[in-house]
Amino acid sequence: LLAVGLVACQQKPQDATATATDSHAGPGHETPATATATESQLPLTTIAFGHMQHAFGKIRQGEKVQHRFTFKNTGQNPLHISDVKPSCGCTAPNWSKGAIAPGQEGFIDIEFDSKNFTGVQNKTVTVMANTSDRVYSLSFSGEVVN
């Protein structure tokens, strides 16, 4: 029995390595089925944003402006923000990484670079999480002036 137990224990790490290698063949090689299976394995929770819109007002052309959106995990399971995608390359996001425990708060910081813009700008940032809606849209606006 001891020999069988040792052989079985030695095979598990090899199986796990093969599975990890197969599902992570490198950037851009993960299949949609694998990504969906991974996301669906996380238990769902709920999220509440402090606000989902921000108005910068007037912004001098070339200025970089920042804003922090805050949220709270209002559910019973850990919250995972899997991705934050801005609507254009003029916006750089940063967000709370890792699990956010129930009752805890997190953030999504955005930085808008106005150097190539003039006039009224309306931009969005898409947030993906392990919640029932899965996708949320945050927005910001401002008037870029010379």
Side-chain angles (χ1 to χ4, degrees):
L1 287 175
L2 182 59
V4 170
L6 288 174
V7 170
C9 287
Q10 289 176 352
Q11 288 178 348
K12 286 188 185 231
Q14 292 171 347
D15 292 343
T17 302
T19 303
T21 303
D22 293 342
S23 65
H24 297 93
H29 289 51
E30 188 171 288
T31 63
T34 303
T36 303
T38 302
E39 288 173 8
S40 67
Q41 290 173 354
L42 292 174
L44 297 180
T45 192
T46 55
I47 188 171
F49 286 90
H51 59 285
M52 296 179 75
Q53 300 175 354
H54 177 73
F56 283 111
K58 292 191 185 285
I59 304 166
R60 285 185 313 212
Q61 188 175 35
E63 184 179 10
K64 291 182 181 180
V65 292
Q66 299 87 26
H67 181 71
R68 175 168 279 191
F69 291 96
T70 59
F71 58 85
K72 184 175 185 176
N73 179 353
T74 55
Q76 300 299 311
N77 295 308
L79 173 65
H80 297 269
I81 303 295
S82 58
D83 202 3
V84 177
K85 294 184 179 181
S87 59
C88 78
C90 60
T91 305
N94 185 31
W95 64 94
S96 297
K97 307 289 194 291
I100 298 152
Q104 297 299 305
E105 294 186 354
F107 66 89
I108 297 168
D109 288 337
I110 54 108
E111 180 178 80
F112 171 66
D113 184 351
S114 67
K115 73 178 174 185
N116 294 319
F117 297 92
T118 58
V120 175
Q121 301 298 312
N122 294 296
K123 305 293 181 187
T124 60
V125 178
T126 303
V127 179
M128 285 145 279
N130 63 317
T131 56
S132 58
D133 286 344
R134 300 264 183 207
V135 177
Y136 297 87
S137 183
L138 305 176
S139 63
F140 63 92
S141 63
E143 182 181 2
V144 181
V145 296
N146 290 329

